[in-house]
């Protein structure tokens, strides 16, 4: 006997319960609209989820790496305040780089940097900066890639020292193959001049309101980790009767006449067909293309193969040690050190670790299927602890245990041609009248939480107003600073 597939229907189907999808859900719920959410993982929050590990009576928590919240949009602060009700703290940012066995403050502290690098290297940096000014300002050398962007603002020696190496570690390709868009999103507004101005303002005790986003020195953080925002949204929506189906993912997205008609999903209850009038999705764009039925034109299927993502392997180490560093996170730009970045979660919020204990979250940049990606937990731990011991951070006698996590599709790779491929793919997707593709994976965009939240909100607003707003416009504004005010219960220094 043939088994009939279960069919259900909803007005708006949201695929993906990360910040973007859940922001859309919240806004639709506030307007009393009908929708349901499907999420392939067993937890909500996407890359901004918080893990909880129980060791006997002790609870250790960690985000997927450091997640400070920042935005220039006051509405986002109010949106989150409405969900968290003052379960935020304001944290004084401390970040450093560890290079050649020495710490360097970030943003750069010139006196400390000079002491660490010595006069010969300092002269070399100044000389190279002068050369860069002549090359890029006088002879107008064009900015063709990330390397050009950095060298034109910092000169070669300083650029290589603290930006080029780390960037190449993230992407696994040369900085000459990286699009300058990455610099605009990562270090926009930053230059030797802006660093000097910020330092001068500090010396004279004045606040630099227009400092670039990379220089802002306090941020907000939910007491129990960034995932608290998204778990709280899930609880709120479920209490209002909305359905969030976990462990559920689309197998086929059926369309006709430029409209998505239904989505066939695999779920813990078997296959379901969900009929819908609108779709909001944050599925990695190349994956979404392959779900469409009928298939997109061959040219689009071929182009999506050229979009590449970088993945990450993580190691979360719990320690019988009260504290390792005063920093929230430390960068390791040197390629000889396999660790990309280390975060000490208790320095975001003391509630992330039990009293008298701490933890380290280590990030390793990799490509799905490469040697680092394939390492077992034990192999990764051996590699990590060897370097942590050599750098003097901790030693294996203090380690309680460790947890191995991997995430695919973490960083969209902005190579030199990505914009052309992506533009053609987006033009194709834009033909679907009832499709909103949003978020970091959906738009192949290096979003932080703020821009993913805004994309979700704009998609929901489009559905509420019956107007298709331009999702691409989110985050493209010239002004790009961290700001906003929140009621916080306490401040953690
Ligand atoms: C190490 C690290 C550090 C970061 N630091 C910060 C920071 O300091 N501040 C900050 O604001 N942001 C930070 N971010 C970025 C932040 O995590 C992202 O901006 C945010 O999570 C993006 O939200 P999103 O909803 O767009 O995408 P995602 O978080 O990727 O969520 C997408 C969701 O869709 C689901 N999904 C995908 N495909 C399917 C499918 N086929 N079917 C069903 N579900 C699917 C996924 O499982 C996921 O839950 C950091 C990210 C990383 C990795």
């Amino acid at each position: 006997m043939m088994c009939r597939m279960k069919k259900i229907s909803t007005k708006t189907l949201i695929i993906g319960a990360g910040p973007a999808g859940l922001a859309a859900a919240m806004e639709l719920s506030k307007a009393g609209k009908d929708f349901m959410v499907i999420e392939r993982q067993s937890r909500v929050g996407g890359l901004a989820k918080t893990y909880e590990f129980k060791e006997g009576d002790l609870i250790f928590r960690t985000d997927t790496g450091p997640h400070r919240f920042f935005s220039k949009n006051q509405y986002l602060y109010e949106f989150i305040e409405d969900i968290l009700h003052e379960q935020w703290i304001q944290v004084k940012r401390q970040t450093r780089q560890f290079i050649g066995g020495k710490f360097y403050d970030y943003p750069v502290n010139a006196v400390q940097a000079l002491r660490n690098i010595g006069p010969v290297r300092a002269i070399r940096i100044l000389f190279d900066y002068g050369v860069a000014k002549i090359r890029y300002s006088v002879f107008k050398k064009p900015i063709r890639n990330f390397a050009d962007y950095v060298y034109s603002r910092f000169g070669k020696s300083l650029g290589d020292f603290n930006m080029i190496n780390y960037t190449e570690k993230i992407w696994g390709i040369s900085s000459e193959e990286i699009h300058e868009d990455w610099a605009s999103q990562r270090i926009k507004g930053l230059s030797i001049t802006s660093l000097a101005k910020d330092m001068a303002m500090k010396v004279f005790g004045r606040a630099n309101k227009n400092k670039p986003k990379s220089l802002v020195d306090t941020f907000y953080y939910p007491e129990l980790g960034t995932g608290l925002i998204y778990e709280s949204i899930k609880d709120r929506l479920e209490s209002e009767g909305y359905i969030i189906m976990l462990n559920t993912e689309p197998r086929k997205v059926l369309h006709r006449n430029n409209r998505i008609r239904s989505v066939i999903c695999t779920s813990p209850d078997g296959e379901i067909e969900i009929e819908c009038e609108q779709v909001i999705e944050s599925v990695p764009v190349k994956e979404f293309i392959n779900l469409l039925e009928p298939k997109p034109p061959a040219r689009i299927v071929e182009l999506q193969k050229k979009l590449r993502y970088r993945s990450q392997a993580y190691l979360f180490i719990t320690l019988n040690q009260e504290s390792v560093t005063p920093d929230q996170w430390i960068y390791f730009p040197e390629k000889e050190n396999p660790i990309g970045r280390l975060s000490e979660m208790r320095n975001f919020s003391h509630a992330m670790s039990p009293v008298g204990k701490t933890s380290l979250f280590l990030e390793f940049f990799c490509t799905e299927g490469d040697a680092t990606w394939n390492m077992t937990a034990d192999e990764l731990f051996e590699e990590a602890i060897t370097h942590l011991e050599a750098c003097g951070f901790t030693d294996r006698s203090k380690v309680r245990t460790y947890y191995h996590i991997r995430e695919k599709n973490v960083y969209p790779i902005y190579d030199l041609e990505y914009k052309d491929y992506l533009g053609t793919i987006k033009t194709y997707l834009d033909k679907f009248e009832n499709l909103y593709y949003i978020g970091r994976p959906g738009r192949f965009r290096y979003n932080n939480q703020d821009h993913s939240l805004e994309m979700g909100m704009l998609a929901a607003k489009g559905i509420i107003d019956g107007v298709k707003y331009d999702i691409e416009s989110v985050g493209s504004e010239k002004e790009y600073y961290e700001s906003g005010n929140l009621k916080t219960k306490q401040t953690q220094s």
Side-chain angles (χ1 to χ4, degrees), residues 61-126:
R61 296 184 176 87
T62 184
D63 297 347
T64 315
H67 267 76
R68 65 195 172 119
F69 187 80
F70 49 85
S71 171
K72 67 176 202 65
N73 181 347
Q74 180 64 25
Y75 179 73
L76 292 190
Y77 290 91
E78 285 156 14
F79 172 87
I80 296 175
E81 172 59 17
D82 174 51
I83 296 158
L84 290 189
H85 304 300
E86 298 184 34
Q87 295 178 82
W88 291 82
I89 48 175
Q90 197 171 3
V91 185
K92 192 165 176 302
R93 169 182 171 163
Q94 176 157 341
T95 316
R96 287 184 294 174
Q97 295 184 310
F98 190 76
I99 308 173
K102 291 180 178 149
F103 285 104
Y104 292 83
D105 283 354
Y106 188 88
V108 175
N109 170 338
V111 179
Q112 175 205 52
L114 272 176
R115 206 172 33 227
N116 280 352
I117 60 179
V120 176
R121 199 155 183 193
I123 290 167
R124 176 84 218 193
I125 284 175
L126 280 179

Side-chain angles (χ1 to χ4, degrees), residues 15-22 38-41 43-49 64-70 230 248-250 282-284 287 291 312 314 329 341 348 361 363 409-411 438-442 446-450 452-453:
I15 309 173
L22 289 178
I38 62 171
E39 164 57 52
R40 81 162 144 217
Q41 295 195 10
R43 304 267 309 278
V44 299
L47 289 174
K49 70 172 88 58
T64 315
H67 267 76
R68 65 195 172 119
F69 187 80
F70 49 85
Y230 309 105
T248 301
E249 63 178 304
S282 52
V283 176
E287 195 180 316
L291 291 171
Q312 280 193 311
Y314 310 109
W329 65 96
R341 186 162 57 172
F348 285 79
F361 185 91
E363 293 170 58
N409 305 327
V410 176
Y411 290 92
I438 59 170
R440 178 158 163 148
Y446 179 77
N447 272 6
N448 277 312
Q449 291 170 95
D450 57 336
S452 280
L453 290 167

Side-chain angles (χ1 to χ4, degrees), residues 58-218:
L58 304 180
I59 299 179
F60 290 86
R61 296 184 176 87
T62 184
D63 297 347
T64 315
H67 267 76
R68 65 195 172 119
F69 187 80
F70 49 85
S71 171
K72 67 176 202 65
N73 181 347
Q74 180 64 25
Y75 179 73
L76 292 190
Y77 290 91
E78 285 156 14
F79 172 87
I80 296 175
E81 172 59 17
D82 174 51
I83 296 158
L84 290 189
H85 304 300
E86 298 184 34
Q87 295 178 82
W88 291 82
I89 48 175
Q90 197 171 3
V91 185
K92 192 165 176 302
R93 169 182 171 163
Q94 176 157 341
T95 316
R96 287 184 294 174
Q97 295 184 310
F98 190 76
I99 308 173
K102 291 180 178 149
F103 285 104
Y104 292 83
D105 283 354
Y106 188 88
V108 175
N109 170 338
V111 179
Q112 175 205 52
L114 272 176
R115 206 172 33 227
N116 280 352
I117 60 179
V120 176
R121 199 155 183 193
I123 290 167
R124 176 84 218 193
I125 284 175
L126 280 179
F127 176 77
D128 280 357
Y129 180 63
V131 171
K133 279 279 131 203
I134 294 170
R135 194 170 282 157
Y136 290 94
S137 301
V138 180
F139 290 105
K140 306 271 181 244
K141 180 170 190 260
I143 308 289
R144 291 206 176 91
N145 50 44
F146 181 79
D148 281 327
Y149 188 99
V150 169
Y151 293 152
S152 67
R153 280 160 179 79
F154 298 93
K156 182 153 172 29
S157 302
L158 187 57
D160 283 346
F161 182 63
N162 76 352
M163 276 173 221
I164 296 288
N165 277 348
Y166 189 68
T167 299
E168 292 185 347
K169 215 166 158 175
I170 298 181
W171 300 112
I173 54 178
S174 149
S175 55
E176 285 168 8
E177 295 170 63
I178 298 170
H179 201 283
E180 61 161 305
D181 278 0
W182 169 246
S184 327
Q185 288 200 242
R186 190 78 181 178
I187 52 173
K188 188 172 185 169
L190 209 59
S191 64
I192 280 198
T193 330
S194 67
L195 288 173
K197 191 170 163 198
D198 190 60
M199 251 190 51
M201 297 286 237
K202 274 197 186 131
V203 169
F204 294 110
R206 303 246 305 272
N208 180 3
K209 287 193 190 131
N210 290 332
K211 63 171 75 183
K213 111 182 153 64
S214 324
L215 299 184
V216 168
D217 38 22
T218 62

